[in-house]
Amino acid sequence: MILRLEMPPELVLRSQEMKQADAASIAAGIPGIELMRRAGGAVAKAAAEMLTKEAKVVVAAGPGQNGGDGFVVATLLVRQGHRVSLGLLGNVERLSGDAALAAKDWKGPVEAAEDLPFPEADLIVDALFGTGIARDLYGSARAAVERMNASGRPILAVDLPSGIDGDTGRVRGVAVRAMRTVTFAARKPCHLLMPGRAFSGDVEVADIGITSKTLAASGGKLFANAPSLWLDKLPRPELSSHKYDRGHTLVVSGGATRTGAARLAARAALRIGSGLVTVASPPEALGVNAAQLTAVMLRGCDGPEGLHHILQDVRLNALVLGPALGVHSGTRAMVAVAAHARRSLVLDADALTSFEDLASELHQAFHYAPTVLTPHDGEFKRLFNGHPDILDPESKIERAHRAAVYTGAVVVLKGPDTVIASPDGRAAINENGTPYLGTAGTGDTLCGIIAGLMAQGMPPFEAASAGVWIHAEAGASFGPGLIAEDLAELVPGVLRKLLN
Ligand SMILES: NC(=O)C1=CN([C@@H]2O[C@H](COP(=O)(O)OP(=O)(O)OC[C@H]3O[C@@H](n4cnc5c(N)ncnc54)[C@H](O)[C@@H]3O)[C@@H](O)[C@H]2O)[C@H](O)CC1
Ligand SMILES: [K+]
């Protein structure tokens, strides 16, 4: 991993934002047909890399501008000596705008997409639909996609695999399984969100002359989660800094038979660099915790009153509540004490599920306490049950964003495509997750990493984004056999790469 500090964060643009960027570029003097020719040129270049000279290419073009790109690709590949057949969904007289212009350059026959000989192709170019898909595919559109997939031949998708929704990454009825995708100017959410990421294959972003300034003006708040997004805010201890400079994380433990989660979180907070870490333990679990803690300190804490007493020490500047606390009113009371104490706060697991059907108690609850919620899908659905405005949007980004605005907290909606959303509208989509993280206790470790970063002064959105990325990178560096106890010990290796 070569990290160059000056790399700007990678912007991801939604379909509507991309259309704005297109329009702005055309207004700035790049004709739409020129954008299409550059787009088609980039796809033809990628196709040529996948082909031998005499190869047979079958281009499936759709009724919109994505289809227009397909006409450009077909024209260019014929000029390069390839054997190309092109089929159109619909009829060529119905084409409009730049697609109609591109179709005029195509000198070969325009077949019906239904008749295309996909099994004979060395390469299929999928130019049926891009960002303009408006509903589930049916009829001849569906049949064309199903025949493409059934052919078993390699498919190169134009902009995005047909049938995938550009903004949500969901399959609209049926979708092309592409080996490779060439998209234009910026990736769209579907290239990072599942299952769209899986359907896209290897994604290449082609520069078609839309400037980063234009992209930032059209989008600007949605990012791919990568070090370029938060590396400048990752804590770097100064030579003169001592442990009190690096914050003090408090993790509240569950009862005598449920203490492991807190220790996993505590160890991770220490490993990510929190100057001090303390486990606040119920009296009946002090012995269990004491027997297994060394650098992590231990204090007795008897319920919400006990927590309120401990938090009189203002040096405790980051808290983790939730893992194994139990689902009941006592946990809700602990959350209230923590929120009122105005410390950085990570809420997970039981601290979220204890508010099932009571999300209204969390409404705007975290204005004064930089807070990160880390639900997985199930916890999210339970927590916001009864709030269709938050649960119903098809887009995972939109669901996380609305929950963030509602609660005032940064929301980490976990999964293979974890989304980190801030109340201020920023969001990041994570891509380095590994299936090996699917083991008990890894969520507790993530809480500790995020809290430990906030203890060192990292703002919640950046701490959550960095925490998710570092956590996944640590897991991926271990691979098969990973268990939660390994994770904290793998964090230093990831930090070394980031900080050197
Ligand atoms: N800067 C860029 O990103 C550029 C993008 N280009 C290409 O333009 C398409 C977007 O074009 P648009 O015409 O808006 O949409 P599509 O071509 O994806 O398809 C819309 C087309 O299809 C019909 N349709 C929609 N849903 C269905 C359905 N379920 N069944 C049947 N038909 C459907 C709809 O009526 C329209 O006619 C983008 O993806 C890029 O490939 C520019 O070419 C270059 C710059
Ligand atoms: K496509």
Side-chain angles (χ1 to χ4, degrees), residues 81-108:
H82 297 294
R83 291 177 294 139
V84 181
S85 55
L86 177 140
L88 176 62
L89 209 56
N91 49 52
V92 70
E93 297 74 38
R94 297 281 303 273
L95 289 174
S96 63
D98 299 332
L101 295 176
K104 284 197 174 52
D105 292 340
W106 167 248
K107 304 306 176 206

Short mmCIF file of all heavy atoms in Angstrom, two decimals, residues 81-108:
data_model
loop_
_atom_site.label_atom_id
_atom_site.label_comp_id
_atom_site.label_asym_id
_atom_site.label_seq_id
_atom_site.Cartn_x
_atom_site.Cartn_y
_atom_site.Cartn_z
N GLY A 81 -9.84 -3.17 -36.61
CA GLY A 81 -9.69 -4.47 -37.27
C GLY A 81 -10.41 -5.62 -36.61
O GLY A 81 -10.27 -6.77 -37.00
N HIS A 82 -11.22 -5.33 -35.61
CA HIS A 82 -11.95 -6.44 -34.95
C HIS A 82 -13.25 -6.72 -35.71
O HIS A 82 -13.76 -5.87 -36.44
CB HIS A 82 -12.26 -6.06 -33.50
CG HIS A 82 -11.03 -5.87 -32.68
ND1 HIS A 82 -10.16 -6.88 -32.37
CD2 HIS A 82 -10.49 -4.76 -32.13
CE1 HIS A 82 -9.14 -6.42 -31.66
NE2 HIS A 82 -9.32 -5.13 -31.51
N ARG A 83 -13.75 -7.95 -35.54
CA ARG A 83 -15.05 -8.30 -36.12
C ARG A 83 -16.12 -7.93 -35.09
O ARG A 83 -16.06 -8.41 -33.96
CB ARG A 83 -15.10 -9.81 -36.42
CG ARG A 83 -14.16 -10.22 -37.56
CD ARG A 83 -14.18 -11.73 -37.77
NE ARG A 83 -13.62 -12.44 -36.63
CZ ARG A 83 -14.16 -13.57 -36.14
NH1 ARG A 83 -15.29 -14.06 -36.65
NH2 ARG A 83 -13.60 -14.18 -35.11
N VAL A 84 -17.00 -7.04 -35.45
CA VAL A 84 -17.97 -6.50 -34.48
C VAL A 84 -19.39 -6.68 -34.99
O VAL A 84 -19.68 -6.38 -36.15
CB VAL A 84 -17.73 -5.00 -34.24
CG1 VAL A 84 -18.73 -4.46 -33.21
CG2 VAL A 84 -16.30 -4.75 -33.76
N SER A 85 -20.28 -7.20 -34.15
CA SER A 85 -21.71 -7.12 -34.49
C SER A 85 -22.38 -6.32 -33.39
O SER A 85 -22.00 -6.41 -32.22
CB SER A 85 -22.32 -8.51 -34.61
OG SER A 85 -22.09 -9.25 -33.44
N LEU A 86 -23.34 -5.49 -33.81
CA LEU A 86 -24.03 -4.62 -32.86
C LEU A 86 -25.53 -4.88 -32.93
O LEU A 86 -26.11 -4.99 -34.02
CB LEU A 86 -23.74 -3.14 -33.21
CG LEU A 86 -24.46 -2.11 -32.33
CD1 LEU A 86 -23.55 -0.94 -32.00
CD2 LEU A 86 -25.75 -1.61 -32.96
N GLY A 87 -26.14 -5.02 -31.76
CA GLY A 87 -27.61 -5.17 -31.70
C GLY A 87 -28.18 -4.07 -30.84
O GLY A 87 -27.54 -3.64 -29.88
N LEU A 88 -29.35 -3.61 -31.18
CA LEU A 88 -29.99 -2.50 -30.46
C LEU A 88 -31.29 -2.97 -29.85
O LEU A 88 -32.08 -3.69 -30.46
CB LEU A 88 -30.28 -1.35 -31.43
CG LEU A 88 -31.03 -0.14 -30.87
CD1 LEU A 88 -30.24 0.54 -29.76
CD2 LEU A 88 -31.36 0.85 -31.98
N LEU A 89 -31.53 -2.56 -28.60
CA LEU A 89 -32.80 -2.79 -27.93
C LEU A 89 -33.71 -1.65 -28.37
O LEU A 89 -33.44 -0.50 -28.06
CB LEU A 89 -32.57 -2.76 -26.41
CG LEU A 89 -33.47 -3.58 -25.53
CD1 LEU A 89 -33.44 -5.06 -25.94
CD2 LEU A 89 -33.04 -3.45 -24.08
N GLY A 90 -34.71 -1.93 -29.16
CA GLY A 90 -35.53 -0.85 -29.68
C GLY A 90 -35.10 -0.57 -31.13
O GLY A 90 -34.33 -1.32 -31.72
N ASN A 91 -35.56 0.58 -31.68
CA ASN A 91 -35.14 0.81 -33.07
C ASN A 91 -34.37 2.13 -33.21
O ASN A 91 -34.56 3.07 -32.46
CB ASN A 91 -36.34 0.80 -34.04
CG ASN A 91 -37.44 1.69 -33.49
OD1 ASN A 91 -37.17 2.84 -33.17
ND2 ASN A 91 -38.62 1.12 -33.31
N VAL A 92 -33.50 2.14 -34.19
CA VAL A 92 -32.50 3.20 -34.31
C VAL A 92 -33.15 4.57 -34.55
O VAL A 92 -32.64 5.58 -34.09
CB VAL A 92 -31.48 2.84 -35.42
CG1 VAL A 92 -32.09 2.91 -36.78
CG2 VAL A 92 -30.23 3.70 -35.28
N GLU A 93 -34.38 4.58 -35.16
CA GLU A 93 -35.03 5.88 -35.38
C GLU A 93 -35.44 6.52 -34.06
O GLU A 93 -35.62 7.73 -33.97
CB GLU A 93 -36.30 5.74 -36.25
CG GLU A 93 -36.08 5.22 -37.67
CD GLU A 93 -35.76 3.74 -37.68
OE1 GLU A 93 -36.39 2.99 -36.86
OE2 GLU A 93 -34.85 3.35 -38.43
N ARG A 94 -35.58 5.67 -33.01
CA ARG A 94 -36.05 6.21 -31.73
C ARG A 94 -34.89 6.81 -30.92
O ARG A 94 -35.09 7.45 -29.90
CB ARG A 94 -36.70 5.10 -30.90
CG ARG A 94 -37.96 4.48 -31.53
CD ARG A 94 -39.21 5.34 -31.33
NE ARG A 94 -39.48 5.60 -29.91
CZ ARG A 94 -40.20 4.77 -29.13
NH1 ARG A 94 -40.64 3.62 -29.64
NH2 ARG A 94 -40.44 5.06 -27.89
N LEU A 95 -33.68 6.56 -31.39
CA LEU A 95 -32.53 7.12 -30.64
C LEU A 95 -32.57 8.64 -30.70
O LEU A 95 -33.02 9.22 -31.69
CB LEU A 95 -31.22 6.62 -31.24
CG LEU A 95 -30.90 5.14 -31.01
CD1 LEU A 95 -29.64 4.74 -31.78
CD2 LEU A 95 -30.74 4.86 -29.51
N SER A 96 -32.09 9.28 -29.63
CA SER A 96 -32.13 10.76 -29.64
C SER A 96 -30.79 11.30 -29.16
O SER A 96 -29.95 10.56 -28.65
CB SER A 96 -33.25 11.22 -28.70
OG SER A 96 -32.91 10.80 -27.38
N GLY A 97 -30.63 12.58 -29.31
CA GLY A 97 -29.46 13.30 -28.77
C GLY A 97 -28.16 12.72 -29.29
O GLY A 97 -28.04 12.31 -30.45
N ASP A 98 -27.20 12.65 -28.37
CA ASP A 98 -25.85 12.22 -28.78
C ASP A 98 -25.85 10.78 -29.26
O ASP A 98 -25.06 10.40 -30.13
CB ASP A 98 -24.89 12.37 -27.58
CG ASP A 98 -24.79 13.82 -27.12
OD1 ASP A 98 -24.99 14.72 -27.97
OD2 ASP A 98 -24.58 14.06 -25.92
N ALA A 99 -26.78 9.97 -28.70
CA ALA A 99 -26.83 8.55 -29.12
C ALA A 99 -27.18 8.46 -30.61
O ALA A 99 -26.61 7.66 -31.36
CB ALA A 99 -27.86 7.79 -28.28
N ALA A 100 -28.08 9.33 -31.06
CA ALA A 100 -28.47 9.32 -32.48
C ALA A 100 -27.27 9.71 -33.34
O ALA A 100 -26.99 9.10 -34.38
CB ALA A 100 -29.63 10.28 -32.70
N LEU A 101 -26.49 10.68 -32.85
CA LEU A 101 -25.30 11.11 -33.61
C LEU A 101 -24.29 9.96 -33.67
O LEU A 101 -23.73 9.67 -34.73
CB LEU A 101 -24.65 12.33 -32.93
CG LEU A 101 -25.47 13.62 -32.91
CD1 LEU A 101 -24.74 14.71 -32.12
CD2 LEU A 101 -25.75 14.09 -34.34
N ALA A 102 -24.11 9.30 -32.52
CA ALA A 102 -23.12 8.20 -32.48
C ALA A 102 -23.56 7.07 -33.41
O ALA A 102 -22.75 6.44 -34.09
CB ALA A 102 -22.98 7.68 -31.06
N ALA A 103 -24.88 6.86 -33.47
CA ALA A 103 -25.39 5.76 -34.32
C ALA A 103 -25.11 6.04 -35.79
O ALA A 103 -24.88 5.13 -36.60
CB ALA A 103 -26.89 5.59 -34.07
N LYS A 104 -25.07 7.34 -36.16
CA LYS A 104 -24.82 7.71 -37.56
C LYS A 104 -23.40 7.31 -37.99
O LYS A 104 -23.13 6.97 -39.12
CB LYS A 104 -25.00 9.21 -37.77
CG LYS A 104 -26.47 9.66 -37.81
CD LYS A 104 -26.61 11.05 -38.41
CE LYS A 104 -28.07 11.45 -38.60
NZ LYS A 104 -28.88 11.29 -37.38
N ASP A 105 -22.49 7.28 -37.01
CA ASP A 105 -21.10 6.93 -37.36
C ASP A 105 -20.95 5.42 -37.59
O ASP A 105 -19.96 4.97 -38.15
CB ASP A 105 -20.15 7.33 -36.20
CG ASP A 105 -20.05 8.85 -36.06
OD1 ASP A 105 -20.38 9.54 -37.04
OD2 ASP A 105 -19.70 9.32 -34.97
N TRP A 106 -21.93 4.66 -37.13
CA TRP A 106 -21.81 3.20 -37.22
C TRP A 106 -22.23 2.75 -38.62
O TRP A 106 -23.37 3.00 -39.05
CB TRP A 106 -22.69 2.54 -36.16
CG TRP A 106 -22.90 1.06 -36.33
CD1 TRP A 106 -24.07 0.43 -36.66
CD2 TRP A 106 -21.91 0.01 -36.22
NE1 TRP A 106 -23.89 -0.92 -36.75
CE2 TRP A 106 -22.57 -1.22 -36.50
CE3 TRP A 106 -20.53 0.00 -35.94
CZ2 TRP A 106 -21.89 -2.44 -36.47
CZ3 TRP A 106 -19.89 -1.22 -35.93
CH2 TRP A 106 -20.55 -2.43 -36.19
N LYS A 107 -21.27 2.13 -39.34
CA LYS A 107 -21.56 1.78 -40.74
C LYS A 107 -22.05 0.35 -40.90
O LYS A 107 -22.44 -0.06 -41.98
CB LYS A 107 -20.28 1.97 -41.59
CG LYS A 107 -19.67 3.37 -41.51
CD LYS A 107 -20.71 4.44 -41.85
CE LYS A 107 -20.15 5.85 -41.67
NZ LYS A 107 -21.27 6.81 -41.38
N GLY A 108 -22.03 -0.39 -39.85
CA GLY A 108 -22.44 -1.80 -39.95
C GLY A 108 -23.94 -1.96 -39.77
O GLY A 108 -24.65 -0.98 -39.50
#
